[in-house]
Amino acid sequence: MKDFINTLYKNHALIYKVLLFICATILIVYLFPKQGKFKYNFEQGKPWQSENLYAPFDFAIKKTTEEVDAEKQTIENQSNLYFSLNTSVVNNVRINYKATFNEVFSDSIPDETFSRLFKTGELIIDKLYNNGVLNENYTFSNDKKCIILDGQTTVKQAQFIDLVQQKDLSSIINSILTENNHIDYQTEFLALFFDVVEPSLTFNKSLTDKALQEDLNKIAYTRGSIEKETLIISKGEVVEGEKYQTLESLKNEYKSQVWSASNYNWIVFAHTLLVALALLMLLLFLRKYRIEVFENNTKVTFIFFNIILMVLITTLVISYNSQYIYVIPICILPLVLKAFFDARLGMFTHVITVLLLGSIVPNSYEYMFLQIIAGIVTILTVSELYKRANLFVSVGQITLIYIIAYFAFFVIHEGSFDALEWETFGLFILCGLATLFVQPLIYAYEKLFGLVSDVSLLELSDTNSKLLKELSNKAPGTFHHSLNVANLAEASANEIGANAMLVRVGALYHDIGKMKNPTFFTENQSTGINPHDELSSIESAKVIIDHVINGIEIARKNNLPDRIVDFIRTHHGTSVVYYFYKKEKALNDDIDIEDFRYPGPKPFSKETAILMMCDSVEAASKSLKEPTSSKIDAFVENIINKQMENEQFLNANITFKEIQSIKKVLKHKLANIYHLRIEYPE
């Protein structure tokens, strides 16, 4: 059991990667839409490019959305309105009419006229309540069919125009008064009936809506059917009309039938294989070409997290409305990865992510082409992300590439640009604006994952920072030496294509450990007093060697990133403090060279190797007396060749050609520092 636990502990990093790989695969497959994908691509009005297509199973031809909407509109127009009748209202109105009539019309009116006026009022009541008076004004169409109910019993049917609304009272009263030559009594009748008329009809909305919904539910969404093995379309035949609708019906039916209960597990398994294969390729790439990233579980987690995030955002947008997929700023992914790692890793991860998304987005070929091209442009154009102008220019170029590629695809599909969808260009512009969010995202990632980007390096390179100011005050000679090394290292890095900003910052901080005992280092000895005169060679060597350990402690205390601490740890590698070693050797042959050796490790990247070369050359160049071009050339060659002989660059991925280029830069820079000129003949 103990051996098993020890084995797990030794392989915990690999076990973590396996678990991360499995979890990422499961999560991505879970996020994928659970529907089938039709294996044929077709467009309305274009020829069928595949072989003759026969129906793989029986299916019904679905009506178009326009056809269904038209049927719904017809049913809504022809639907009935239901009104509830209050039968007691008419009797109440007649009783109130008799009681009020005598109050309104005076006794001075002749009996015959009085009688005729009373009968005219009864005619008005009959007219108003023939179909009924509505309780309020409605805006239904006049030809709408109305069903009048007494409880659950249908009393009569009428058109909506036959029902009396409140606003129609005056016109109906006036028309009957005119017919019976009583218009002179208009004012009295209007006052009378506005007091006694009561609504007898109430709109029954629930019953009306229920009846409408029942009719809508009867709509058939299919028309006709296709039997299995029936020829649907031949190769070269134009996809239009009935053919197009049949293909759309097959496509929709295919999605529902493929993702049936019996096939579901198999299809999920197939998706899992594809996703696992893509993620495995990414891990193999990291193991083959980016071993330092592969061995860092935090960095691997960071890469997988970004892939899953892009899949999540894309699936959410597709589930909402797939036409907005081009708003998603996929190019943020290569930007972020390039900021923290390098362009090649960023591009490879971007392609893997786009391939994953290609299986769930519509028009997958167009989508993948656009996103891969945009990713390439992103990698090629964004060279220094910490420069804001560069980011804005690159975003503009990315947006332009999107627009050009989309325009080309549209013309290929449609044959012209008359029906060009200009709204899509707006989506690309929104995508470009969203890409600018990469700056705050990088800052958040730095805090969350403890990574370092070029933006942070730019902040650390400020010589007015607290730590560098402290270095300039306590050890001014060391600070000046660090500035010179930074300039040499930056020029060397630019020459061989290394990360110039990283190596510059590493050079600025590589000797901060000398702040603890600044006077023990010759560049800070301004008084002529050398403290080493009072120490033994071993003690002196220990003080010199300890500046590496002290530097690491100061860096940790000031929260410097690990990538910068690496420069402090490796800038002397496992070299020997040769001066004190030779001094002790002259006094005592029986000494251990390990007492004079730096603890290391050796440089393990191009940048840390560059710093070791530049630091040694710059420090030793102070001992040159009457320097000439030939002396400088021999001096640089001697120092760097000695480091190579001591295998200090064995772990760094730097080539002989690159080392030669660095030597050339150092020779040129030192010649400029000492203001050497060509010796002209006398």
Side-chain angles (χ1 to χ4, degrees):
M1 185 65 183
K2 185 177 180 181
D3 293 338
F4 177 72
I5 294 174
N6 289 336
T7 303
L8 287 179
Y9 179 76
K10 290 178 181 178
N11 297 286
H12 71 279
L14 182 59
I15 294 171
Y16 175 84
K17 290 182 185 67
V18 172
L19 292 176
L20 178 66
F21 170 78
I22 294 172
C23 292
T25 302
I26 294 172
L27 183 57
I28 291 173
V29 173
Y30 174 77
L31 291 174
F32 276 7
K34 300 300 183 290
Q35 62 181 26
K37 191 173 178 65
F38 194 50
K39 59 183 178 180
Y40 299 104
N41 290 319
F42 61 92
E43 294 181 54
Q44 190 171 8
K46 299 296 178 184
W48 178 256
Q49 300 293 337
S50 304
E51 297 298 325
N52 295 352
L53 177 63
Y54 295 89
F57 42 71
D58 296 342
F59 66 94
I61 303 175
K62 293 189 176 182
K63 295 177 182 177
T64 63
T65 304
E66 293 76 14
E67 289 175 329
V68 174
D69 290 343
E71 287 189 32
K72 287 182 179 180
Q73 189 61 48
T74 301
I75 290 174
E76 289 176 3
N77 293 337
Q78 296 177 354
S79 62
N80 296 329
L81 301 176
Y82 289 84
F83 293 89
S84 299
L85 176 65
N86 188 344
T87 55
S88 64
V89 168
V90 180
N91 292 329
N92 292 337
V93 170
R94 290 185 187 279
I95 293 170
N96 291 335
Y97 170 70
K98 289 178 182 179
T100 310
F101 186 83
N102 293 328
E103 297 176 3
V104 173
F105 292 94
S106 63
D107 297 337
S108 60
I109 299 175
D111 291 343
E112 184 180 353
T113 304
F114 190 87
S115 177
R116 283 192 286 114
L117 288 174
F118 185 82
K119 289 181 179 179
T120 301
E122 289 183 326
L123 290 174
I124 293 173
I125 292 174
D126 292 340
K127 176 68 174 178
L128 292 176
Y129 290 97
N130 180 40
N131 292 305
V133 177
L134 294 168
N135 62 330
E136 60 180 272
N137 295 323
Y138 296 98
T139 58
F140 299 119
S141 175
N142 287 335
D143 58 354
K144 270 280 193 181
K145 187 178 179 181
C146 301
I147 307 296
I148 299 173
L149 303 172
D150 181 7
Q152 299 296 322
T153 306
T154 301
V155 176
K156 63 165 57 178
Q157 298 181 4
Q159 287 186 316
F160 182 72
I161 195 173
D162 297 327
L163 306 183
V164 178
Q165 301 193 73
Q166 301 289 329
K167 63 181 181 179
D168 299 330
L169 281 175
S170 297
S171 60
I172 293 173
I173 293 171
N174 288 335
S175 65
I176 295 178
L177 290 176
T178 302
E179 291 176 4
N180 291 274
N181 298 318
H182 294 312
I183 195 67
D184 295 339
Y185 297 95
Q186 176 186 11
T187 304
E188 290 81 354
F189 273 103
L190 288 175
L192 170 63
F193 280 101
F194 272 105
D195 286 339
V196 301
V197 170
E198 297 178 23
S200 62
L201 295 177
T202 304
F203 178 55
N204 194 329
K205 188 175 187 306
S206 61
L207 186 57
T208 301
D209 291 344
K210 182 179 179 181
L212 174 60
Q213 191 59 49
E214 288 178 355
D215 291 338
L216 291 175
N217 291 339
K218 295 177 183 177
I219 293 177
Y221 288 86
T222 61
R223 46 178 173 80
S225 62
I226 300 292
E227 295 183 358
K228 185 177 180 180
E229 300 299 333
T230 301
L231 177 63
I232 296 176
I233 193 168
S234 303
K235 183 175 182 180
E237 193 173 351
V238 177
V239 179
E240 58 184 357
E242 190 69 21
K243 297 287 185 183
Y244 176 75
Q245 196 57 36
T246 303
L247 287 170
E248 281 289 333
S249 301
L250 175 60
K251 181 179 179 180
N252 293 329
E253 189 68 21
Y254 181 87
K255 291 179 180 179
S256 61
Q257 288 208 16
V258 167
W259 281 86
S260 61
S262 59
N263 296 336
Y264 180 85
N265 292 333
W266 279 110
I267 294 174
V268 170
F269 175 71
H271 267 303
T272 304
L273 287 180
L274 291 178
V275 173
L277 189 62
L279 296 181
L280 181 61
M281 292 304 103
L282 178 59
L283 286 175
L284 291 176
F285 171 83
L286 294 177
R287 188 172 182 275
K288 177 75 174 177
Y289 299 106
R290 297 293 181 272
I291 188 64
E292 72 281 0
V293 176
F294 180 80
E295 291 175 349
N296 189 318
N297 283 340
T298 301
K299 293 179 179 179
V300 176
T301 304
F302 172 73
I303 295 170
F304 275 61
F305 172 80
N306 278 276
I307 294 174
I308 295 171
L309 181 63
M310 286 300 167
V311 174
L312 172 63
I313 295 173
T314 304
T315 51
L316 289 176
V317 171
I318 289 175
S319 62
Y320 173 70
N321 191 336
S322 61
Q323 73 179 42
Y324 294 124
I325 57 171
Y326 288 116
V327 176
I328 305 169
I330 299 293
C331 288
I332 279 184
L333 181 61
L335 278 174
V336 167
L337 295 180
K338 184 179 180 182
F340 289 114
F341 305 110
D342 60 86
R344 191 175 177 186
L345 175 57
M347 189 67 236
F348 192 89
T349 307
H350 176 71
V351 171
I352 291 292
T353 306
V354 171
L355 290 176
L356 289 174
L357 296 177
S359 61
I360 62 173
V361 299
N363 299 322
S364 55
Y365 172 74
E366 294 179 22
Y367 178 85
M368 290 191 291
F369 183 91
L370 282 172
Q371 298 297 358
I372 290 175
I373 290 294
I376 293 172
V377 172
T378 302
I379 293 296
L380 294 178
T381 57
V382 182
S383 55
E384 296 169 321
L385 191 60
Y386 57 86
K387 294 183 179 179
R388 289 171 294 179
N390 283 2
L391 180 59
F392 279 98
V393 171
S394 296
V395 166
Q397 291 173 333
I398 294 166
T399 306
L400 182 62
I401 290 298
Y402 273 131
I403 291 173
I404 292 173
Y406 173 77
F407 174 80
F409 274 117
F410 188 88
V411 173
I412 290 172
H413 293 160
E414 301 297 329
S416 68
F417 52 87
D418 296 336
L420 194 63
E421 297 175 0
W422 297 100
E423 297 83 1
T424 308
F425 292 162
L427 299 181
F428 291 138
I429 293 173
L430 287 176
C431 177
L433 294 175
T435 306
L436 296 175
F437 184 70
V438 69
Q439 288 282 18
L441 187 63
I442 287 174
Y443 178 79
Y445 279 153
E446 287 178 334
K447 301 304 179 185
L448 187 62
F449 290 93
L451 301 172
V452 183
S453 70
D454 286 351
V455 180
S456 293
L457 292 177
L458 180 63
E459 295 174 355
L460 290 171
S461 68
D462 183 9
T463 53
N464 289 315
S465 65
K466 179 183 176 182
L467 190 55
L468 291 181
K469 270 194 171 183
E470 185 180 356
L471 177 63
S472 67
N473 291 331
K474 291 183 177 180
T478 299
F479 177 71
H480 184 261
H481 159 72
S482 297
L483 286 176
N484 289 337
V485 173
N487 292 331
L488 293 174
E490 184 177 21
S492 300
N494 284 325
E495 183 69 20
I496 66 171
N499 191 331
M501 179 60 70
L502 176 62
V503 74
R504 178 176 182 83
V505 175
L508 289 173
Y509 290 91
H510 78 285
D511 270 344
I512 55 174
K514 292 181 179 179
M515 285 193 293
K516 195 165 185 179
N517 298 298
T519 56
F520 282 85
F521 301 91
T522 55
E523 66 266 24
N524 299 311
Q525 294 171 359
S526 57
T527 60
I529 299 174
N530 190 345
H532 289 288
D533 294 340
E534 300 177 3
L535 301 176
S536 67
S537 297
I538 294 180
E539 290 173 329
S540 294
K542 186 177 187 310
V543 172
I544 299 298
I545 292 170
D546 280 350
H547 89 273
V548 173
I549 307 300
N550 295 333
I552 295 172
E553 291 176 356
I554 294 171
R556 298 292 188 199
K557 185 178 179 181
N558 287 271
N559 297 317
L560 288 184
D562 288 340
R563 292 177 77 184
I564 305 305
V565 176
D566 288 341
F567 286 93
I568 301 173
R569 294 166 55 219
T570 62
H571 74 277
H572 285 295
T574 56
S575 60
V576 174
V577 185
Y578 200 69
Y579 175 81
F580 291 108
Y581 172 70
K582 292 295 289 184
K583 185 178 178 182
E584 184 68 17
K585 184 86 170 166
L587 300 174
N588 181 13
D589 285 337
D590 187 21
I591 60 172
D592 187 358
I593 194 173
E594 296 302 319
D595 293 336
F596 298 86
R597 189 182 299 279
Y598 284 97
K602 297 176 182 178
F604 46 78
S605 67
K606 288 182 182 180
E607 288 77 16
T608 51
I610 289 171
L611 178 61
M612 172 180 273
M613 294 184 230
C614 295
D615 180 43
S616 301
V617 167
E618 203 284 332
S621 67
K622 299 294 189 293
S623 63
L624 282 174
K625 297 177 181 179
E626 299 181 1
T628 62
S629 295
S630 57
K631 279 186 179 180
I632 288 175
D633 290 354
F635 166 78
V636 171
E637 290 285 346
N638 182 51
I639 289 179
I640 296 179
N641 287 342
K642 189 173 182 180
Q643 290 173 337
M644 293 172 65
E645 289 171 7
N646 293 331
E647 299 182 340
Q648 294 300 317
F649 307 134
L650 195 62
N651 299 329
N653 59 336
I654 192 166
T655 65
F656 285 114
K657 182 179 179 181
E658 289 170 337
I659 293 175
Q660 287 301 117
S661 298
I662 293 170
K663 288 180 181 178
K664 183 178 178 181
V665 170
L666 294 177
K667 292 171 186 177
H668 178 71
K669 287 288 183 181
L670 287 177
N672 288 338
I673 290 172
Y674 288 106
H675 306 290
L676 297 181
R677 295 185 180 180
I678 297 174
E679 296 180 4
Y680 293 99
E682 294 181 359

